[in-house]
Amino acid sequence: MRLSLNSLRPVLEGALDLVFGSLCLLCSGPAPLGSGGLCPRCRGEMAPLAGGLCPCCHGSSEPEEGELCRACRASPPPFDLARSYTAYLGAAREMVLAFKYRRRPGLARAMAGLMAPWAAGVLAEAGGFDVLVPVPLHPKRLRERGYNQAALLARRLAGALRMPVDYTGLTRVKPTAPQTGLEVDARFKNVKRAFRLLGEEQFASKRIALVDDVLTSGATAAECAKTLKLGRAQRVVVLTFAGALGTGPDDKT
Ligand SMILES: [Zn+2]
Ligand SMILES: [Zn+2]
């Protein structure tokens, strides 16, 4: 087997990190060994979602103890669960924005590294899963951006969780307008019928972990889940790096 310098690079970087630590991926401050590439301050800002959380969507709209939030009670979402690793604030928000809009696809590695142990726990508690499915981008947006951040995250997560990813089964067929600035109702309308399954039976009876970088209104995740359920998916658990249900900034995909 021939080894190129490029194929060795991750190994070398990993070894250097182990010996010397590295610079924080977000602020360039010193990131100690085993910190996942973040300095203690940035790492410390990645706090779990807090408050009275809805057991279904994890929206912090202060539901009664253990009860669903008002939105989920009024209209149960098509996904079975939605969970975010951290709140969409501070360093986590910075990371998502850099990842998506400042051409830093390499951040997928650190984000998935942070998410992986947590994701394994969420999925085990939800009864296991069969396949990871990233929220797809429309081909036009994919060409503009050059990469689908959700797919990069899913690929890294799949590596850590040792599970398959399906990159093509769920497709985006409608070039939706950016969600930014839209009210919640308009966001749901905007993504309506935006997705389609490649094959009708592709996800039948499958337990799916739907992966995205951020969950804001939940409209995109809900429409994806609806499409997957129409294809008779058994269960859809939404996993995102950051969550800001109900607050809705910067959800442009
Ligand atoms: Zn930092
Ligand atoms: Zn809810």
Side-chain angles (χ1 to χ4, degrees):
M1 188 171 81
R2 271 187 68 210
L3 288 173
S4 69
L5 188 60
N6 255 351
S7 69
L8 281 175
R9 190 181 297 273
V11 181
L12 291 173
E13 280 176 358
L16 287 172
D17 281 2
L18 273 176
V19 179
F20 300 111
S22 54
L23 297 181
C24 176
L25 292 164
L26 292 177
C27 72
S28 299
L33 306 180
S35 63
L38 296 175
C39 71
R41 189 179 61 85
C42 290
R43 181 73 186 79
E45 281 185 29
M46 309 237 170
L49 293 168
L53 298 176
C54 169
C56 176
C57 71
H58 251 210
S60 49
S61 49
E62 296 180 21
E64 300 298 317
E65 186 104 0
E67 275 184 22
L68 297 175
C69 71
R70 204 179 303 159
C72 287
R73 265 201 311 256
S75 163
F79 47 75
D80 297 272
L81 275 179
R83 294 287 181 269
S84 302
Y85 167 71
T86 181
Y88 190 46
L89 295 167
R93 187 164 176 276
E94 270 309 300
M95 204 162 191
V96 168
L97 296 178
F99 182 39
K100 195 150 58 171
Y101 304 122
R102 290 185 221 125
R103 303 203 170 276
R104 294 194 56 194
L107 288 175
R109 182 181 168 206
M111 292 163 82
L114 291 165
M115 283 174 83
W118 161 86
V122 170
L123 292 168
E125 208 172 300
F129 76 111
D130 301 305
V131 63
L132 288 158
V133 175
V135 169
L137 280 188
H138 189 270
K140 185 169 171 280
R141 173 111 357 118
L142 184 61
R143 273 197 303 277
E144 287 163 7
R145 189 171 294 161
Y147 56 94
N148 174 3
Q149 72 281 357
L152 296 183
L153 211 47
R155 189 179 65 177
R156 290 287 185 179
L157 264 182
L161 301 173
R162 296 175 194 282
M163 291 299 290
V165 191
D166 189 318
Y167 296 103
T168 56
L170 180 67
T171 59
R172 196 160 186 140
V173 291
K174 202 169 105 180
T176 49
Q179 299 275 64
T180 309
L182 296 180
E183 295 295 324
V184 171
D185 283 358
R187 286 173 177 233
F188 278 85
K189 272 195 200 124
N190 190 33
V191 292
K192 210 163 185 180
R193 288 189 281 280
F195 302 95
R196 195 175 291 160
L197 298 182
L198 201 63
E200 267 177 38
E201 292 297 307
Q202 188 114 0
F203 296 115
S205 311
K206 290 272 165 59
R207 297 165 301 172
I208 293 163
L210 181 71
V211 178
D212 208 356
D213 53 342
V214 64
L215 189 77
T216 51
S217 66
T220 304
E223 191 64 24
C224 285
K226 197 161 119 190
T227 310
L228 292 164
K229 287 286 177 88
L230 283 172
R232 297 192 296 110
Q234 187 192 113
R235 187 186 306 135
V236 179
V237 174
V238 183
L239 292 180
T240 63
F241 176 74
L245 262 189
T247 57
D250 299 302
D251 180 10
K252 285 193 193 170
T253 57

